[in-house]
Amino acid sequence: MDTLSQLGYGFSIALSPENLVFVVIGVLAGTVIGVLPGLGPISAIALMIPIAYGMDPTTAIIMLAGVYYGAVFGGSTSSILLNAPGIAGTVATSFDGYPMARQGKAGKALAIAAISSFVGGTVGVVLLMLIAPYLARLAMSFGPAEYFALMVLGLTAVVSLAGDNLTKGLISAVLGVMIALVGIDGQTATLRFTFDLPELYEGVEFLIVALGVFALAEVFTILARRTGGGVEGAVTSLRLSRRDIGQMAPAAGRGSLLGFFTGVLPGAGATVASFLGYSAEKRIAKDPETFGTGNIKGIAAPESANNGAAVGSFVPLLTLGVPGSGTTAILLGALLVLGVQPGPLMLSERPEVFWGVVASMYVGNIVLLVLNLPLIPLFAKVLKTPKALLIPLVVVFCVVGVYGLSFNVFDLWLLLGFGVLGYLMRQNGFPAAPLILGLILGGLMEESMRQALQISNGAWSIFVTQPISAALLGLAVLSLAGPVFRALRRIRPATTAGAVREGDNGERQGQSPA
């Protein structure tokens, strides 16, 4: 009852005319910025901080929170329509969103993304309100060993992203991890995979790889296909049938819960949550072979997960003063600039900020849905664009996004290189998704592993003697055991059949002289 009364107090703040206006401004600005590759939530919030400076702290944080989850949603639009993920957290959405758009169902794909984002955000806000203090204490029990085990568990998603060929999927994942290791080793100052190029000393930006292997590779594929351009078939309405909703609802529910709990963990964030949501949904699906071809659950799960994680990342930020991701680190800086000290005392000292932000998230998610659903037919018309216009548009999109990172021409050559790599991978049946997964998790996994080994003075047993770490590693082994066992079963009959054929040939050769 006390929680409900405090939530009512929060709504009285969030629904004031001034705060309502800034919720709409934040959500709208975040959506527009999130669509553009390179300008993800971090850049979006950084751009809005000068506007927030001097405002009432509660109003400012309400606006910046709206920018955050608006940008997470906006990233899915370019993922679905152009296969050009605006932010890392929406890469998994493109796996099924883009194929669905190519089938002339862009409106439906965007509607599923919008509704799933709403579900993920709303579920996340409810959980934030109810169990934030308890989850914050649990998250603090995660040390480097537990984070390493969590990243290992995340990497096992490669078996569900690899498609029919597990070997090619593993090769792609290893390549992604190798790209994550490019640059100067932070501890030993050793140069790794830099080939004496100073431009590689700071590593390779995620956006360059993602836009190369997805968006630019798609451009090369369209050019090689020599089709008439645009998308095959008409762009249908965004109306969902009862069967569509039946498929979407459970996936969005599971993705929301998984995403929120992942977002609570400092460092995990929306990207890891979206990949975990996608792979978990594929593993339990009765039709896993349809993932990657336009499966509704393949959009609903990662979209609800990344929005749930975006809200979940506010738990350690508001209750402990610990940023759970790069985006919440920027938000922490904004809070401090505005004179608000987040932490355990925030609930008692600044309840208007905490409950005002929580209530504004309810309002913001509704605004996000109301604003974006009517705009979906307009967004979907992008796919009607003739190839002669669409290809230059995508190329400019990529070039502006990458060049805006560092204003370095070398990054554009890297973009071209990864575009060619992505095209060759497609032509030879290597999935790009495991590469991105390895790239995202590789650096985090190495950092956690080194910290854990430093704590244990080099003893590897720390990963199995810590209960949470051991449980997560056990789950990783179990999740790998099934697919590997099935792969071995497929190999064995093939080997047996080959041996039988060789035996038959030998017998015929032995009989023929007679």
Side-chain angles (χ1 to χ4, degrees):
M1 191 64 187
D2 187 47
T3 302
L4 287 178
S5 64
Q6 288 174 320
L7 182 63
Y9 171 60
F11 271 112
S12 69
I13 296 169
L15 292 176
S16 69
E18 183 187 15
N19 288 336
L20 269 178
V21 169
F22 280 103
V23 165
V24 174
I25 291 174
V27 166
L28 197 58
T31 304
V32 171
I33 295 173
V35 169
L36 304 173
L39 295 176
I42 295 179
S43 303
I45 292 173
L47 286 170
M48 298 296 279
I49 284 178
I51 299 173
Y53 190 73
M55 291 169 60
D56 175 73
T58 305
T59 305
I61 298 303
I62 283 174
M63 182 186 71
L64 294 177
V67 172
Y68 183 18
Y69 47 79
V72 172
F73 172 78
S76 65
T77 304
S78 54
S79 289
I80 291 171
L81 296 180
L82 301 173
N83 204 22
I87 60 173
T90 59
V91 170
T93 306
S94 67
F95 298 160
D96 281 277
Y98 185 63
M100 187 177 279
R102 290 200 60 80
Q103 295 163 14
K105 301 175 183 173
K108 182 178 286 189
L110 288 169
I112 292 167
I115 296 170
S116 300
S117 298
F118 173 75
V119 172
T122 305
V123 170
V125 174
V126 172
L127 292 174
L128 170 68
M129 178 185 71
L130 294 177
I131 55 179
Y134 309 104
L135 283 177
R137 283 197 286 273
L138 176 65
M140 287 303 290
S141 66
F142 267 58
E146 285 77 12
Y147 275 109
F148 172 77
L150 181 68
M151 298 305 152
V152 172
L153 180 61
L155 264 183
T156 61
V158 71
V159 299
S160 60
L161 299 175
D164 295 332
N165 196 320
L166 184 59
T167 305
K168 289 184 177 179
L170 289 172
I171 291 172
S172 294
V174 171
L175 183 59
V177 173
M178 290 174 68
I179 296 170
L181 299 180
V182 170
I184 300 176
D185 185 337
Q187 288 192 343
T188 63
T190 305
L191 295 177
R192 302 186 298 193
F193 306 126
T194 57
F195 307 103
D196 294 327
L197 295 170
E199 293 86 352
L200 292 177
Y201 285 2
E202 294 185 2
V204 180
E205 288 284 348
F206 163 80
L207 189 68
I208 299 173
V209 183
L211 289 180
V213 299
F214 285 106
L216 211 55
E218 181 65 26
V219 168
F220 293 149
T221 304
I222 292 173
L223 290 173
R225 199 183 297 132
R226 297 178 183 278
T227 57
V231 173
E232 297 88 347
V235 177
T236 58
S237 73
L238 51 87
R239 182 172 296 175
L240 301 177
S241 66
R242 187 172 296 179
R243 184 171 178 272
D244 294 335
I245 296 171
Q247 288 183 318
M248 179 186 70
R254 287 187 288 265
S256 302
L257 292 174
L258 183 62
F260 177 79
F261 288 112
T262 306
V264 169
L265 301 172
T271 306
V272 176
S274 63
F275 274 102
L276 285 176
Y278 183 86
S279 62
E281 199 59 38
K282 186 174 179 182
R283 285 180 186 182
I284 64 173
K286 294 179 180 177
D287 53 349
E289 69 283 355
T290 62
F291 277 69
T293 61
N295 193 311
I296 289 172
K297 291 175 283 188
I299 301 173
E303 270 304 297
S304 54
N306 63 30
N307 279 271
V311 178
S313 65
F314 277 84
V315 173
L317 173 68
L318 296 180
T319 59
L320 297 172
V322 176
S325 63
T327 310
T328 47
I330 295 285
L331 276 173
L332 175 62
L335 281 167
L336 295 176
V337 167
L338 294 165
V340 178
Q341 177 64 55
L345 299 178
M346 187 174 174
L347 275 167
S348 55
E349 291 182 352
R350 302 300 296 268
E352 79 282 4
V353 176
F354 183 87
W355 289 107
V357 170
V358 170
S360 77
M361 289 180 176
Y362 282 105
V363 180
N365 276 297
I366 294 171
V367 171
L368 197 64
L369 194 66
V370 171
L371 276 179
N372 284 287
L373 278 179
L375 293 177
I376 285 176
L378 184 65
F379 288 144
K381 285 183 180 176
V382 171
L383 293 171
K384 289 274 192 178
T385 309
K387 187 171 71 174
L389 289 176
L390 185 62
I391 289 177
L393 180 69
V394 174
V395 172
V396 169
F397 219 51
C398 296
V399 169
V400 170
V402 169
Y403 191 70
L405 284 176
S406 59
F407 301 101
N408 191 339
V409 176
F410 181 79
D411 287 347
L412 298 180
W413 288 109
L414 273 182
L415 173 69
L416 178 63
F418 281 112
V420 173
L421 174 67
Y423 174 72
L424 292 176
M425 288 175 70
R426 289 184 184 205
Q427 297 303 307
N428 293 283
F430 285 86
L435 184 146
I436 297 296
L437 185 70
L439 173 65
I440 292 169
L441 298 185
L444 296 172
M445 193 167 64
E446 184 199 18
E447 184 182 348
S448 301
M449 184 187 73
R450 284 186 162 181
Q451 290 175 348
L453 290 176
Q454 282 177 341
I455 292 172
S456 66
N457 292 321
W460 290 84
S461 58
I462 188 174
F463 297 113
V464 292
T465 52
Q466 302 288 331
I468 297 176
S469 171
L472 291 172
L473 288 175
L475 281 175
V477 172
L478 285 175
S479 62
L480 279 175
V484 170
F485 181 67
R486 285 195 293 272
L488 290 175
R489 285 186 64 183
R490 282 199 298 268
I491 292 171
R492 186 173 296 172
T495 308
T496 307
V500 170
R501 281 196 297 274
E502 286 179 7
D504 290 344
N505 291 336
E507 286 181 8
R508 282 195 291 272
Q509 286 171 2
Q511 291 168 358
S512 57

